[in-house]
Amino acid sequence: MNNFNKVYKSYSVGLVVIDACIGIKWFSSVNEEKVEYATLIQRKNINLELEIVIPDLFIYEILNTLLIKKKSSVDDLKLCRKALSLMNLNIVIPDDKLLDLAIELANILNLTYYDGIYLALAKRMDTILITEDKKILSCSHKCNFIKSLEYVQNI
């Protein structure tokens, strides 16, 4: 049964889920746009004005992107991993219900399962997902809790 036809409108201010598209901008600004907004999210988190919630997948995606696409050195990857552990990020290890919701959302919205994890987490936390992933952003008409990076100015 597809109960995703309605638009989800409620979310909490001060709590956000971000995906790896945002986090990668913290470590590599080469060929990245809107780095200043990603930095603003990070600054608001440091100043305790904003709580960032991420699935554990976020860490793996960041390090994988730095390794494969950005060709970072092993030493740089270790520094990034250490930096991530010190950033006061609220890391969620998905349980069965979250994993199942991710499957449903990914299927309904024709997204990857990885993307579904971020959406499911935001939906469960009743907050917004900030992303720069074009495919996820194209679903914002069905899920208005999906926001682009510029939205951070409004939080």
Side-chain angles (χ1 to χ4, degrees):
M1 179 175 181
N2 182 349
N3 64 353
F4 207 75
N5 290 330
K6 66 180 181 175
V7 174
Y8 292 91
K9 295 186 177 183
S10 63
Y11 47 84
S12 304
V13 175
L15 179 73
V16 298
V17 173
I18 63 170
D19 68 2
C21 293
I22 306 306
I24 198 65
K25 296 174 188 306
W26 296 337
F27 299 102
S28 177
S29 59
V30 177
N31 297 323
E32 295 290 336
E33 297 177 358
K34 304 177 186 175
V35 173
E36 68 278 9
Y37 295 118
T39 304
L40 180 58
I41 288 176
Q42 189 180 49
R43 191 174 331 118
K44 286 185 177 213
N45 183 58
I46 290 167
N47 293 335
L48 303 176
E49 299 168 24
L50 186 66
E51 181 179 356
I52 298 173
V53 181
I54 56 167
D56 61 345
L57 171 65
F58 177 92
I59 308 274
Y60 313 134
E61 285 193 297
I62 296 291
L63 294 174
N64 188 62
T65 299
L66 291 171
L67 175 67
I68 302 300
K69 292 184 180 176
K70 304 291 185 172
K71 307 293 186 203
S72 297
S73 71
V74 170
D75 288 339
D76 285 346
L77 287 168
K78 289 178 180 179
L79 286 172
C80 291
R81 189 215 43 84
K82 177 90 170 153
L84 284 166
S85 71
L86 297 173
M87 282 188 185
N88 194 32
L89 302 171
N90 183 345
I91 302 170
V92 174
I93 298 172
D95 60 18
D96 288 343
K97 287 183 180 182
L98 188 70
L99 295 171
D100 287 347
L101 180 57
I103 291 170
E104 293 170 16
L105 292 172
N107 181 57
I108 291 167
L109 298 170
N110 195 30
L111 295 170
T112 67
Y113 181 63
Y114 293 157
D115 294 341
I117 293 286
Y118 291 102
L119 285 164
L121 183 56
K123 187 171 180 324
R124 177 187 277 178
M125 302 292 295
D126 193 27
T127 193
I128 59 173
L129 167 63
I130 297 180
T131 184
E132 278 302 295
D133 183 297
K134 289 177 180 25
K135 194 156 185 192
I136 297 174
L137 286 170
S138 73
C139 298
S140 63
H141 67 284
K142 289 186 178 179
C143 311
N144 79 345
F145 61 88
I146 299 171
K147 304 293 182 187
S148 67
L149 188 49
E150 295 92 346
Y151 187 82
V152 72
Q153 300 172 95
N154 302 321
I155 301 174

